[in-house]
Structure formats: C-alpha cells, structure tokens
Amino acid sequence: MDEEIDTLAQRIDRMVALARQLTEENQRLRALLEENRAAEQELRERMDEARARVEAALSRLPAAPDAAQ
C-alpha cells in the first residue's frame, strides 16, 4: 500500500509541475498575443495614414484627359 501511495504522490507531483508549466506558458503566450495585437494596431494606423497621404496626393494631380478623345 505504501508503494501505491508513493506512486500516486509521484503522479500528483508530476501533474502539479505540468500545471505550473502550462500556466507559465499560457502567461507567455498571452503576453506575446498582446504584443502582436499592439503591433497589428500600429501597422493598421500607419497604413491608414499612408492611404490618406496617397489619396491627398492623388487629389492634387491634374485630371487625366478622357481616353475617348
């Protein structure tokens, strides 16, 4: 019976260690996800700004002559 208890205790220890490892990994992944979301938002903002600059530059160009003429 002592052997069974020792085996069970070892299994519990391994499960606790695995739970801790998974918790740490989950925290790292959440932090990485947040970093990636922030980077994505920054890129979207930069793209919007670039799009606005291109549209402004295009609006200042003279109108193209009609291709039908």
Side-chain angles (χ1 to χ4, degrees):
M1 179 151 168
D2 285 343
E3 186 177 321
E4 291 174 357
I5 291 174
D6 288 342
T7 301
L8 185 57
Q10 289 173 0
R11 290 179 66 191
I12 290 171
D13 289 342
R14 287 195 307 267
M15 288 179 63
V16 168
L18 179 59
R20 285 185 182 137
Q21 178 185 355
L22 291 173
T23 298
E24 291 171 3
E25 181 181 7
N26 191 23
Q27 290 172 343
R28 286 191 305 272
L29 291 172
R30 286 180 186 269
L32 182 59
L33 179 61
E34 184 58 34
E35 289 174 19
N36 286 334
R37 284 181 175 160
E40 177 189 16
Q41 181 61 34
E42 181 182 344
L43 289 173
R44 286 184 186 277
E45 290 170 4
R46 290 175 60 192
M47 286 177 55
D48 289 342
E49 291 168 2
R51 183 177 296 111
R53 285 193 307 271
V54 168
E55 288 173 357
L58 289 175
S59 71
R60 290 190 300 268
L61 292 176
D66 284 45
Q69 291 181 355

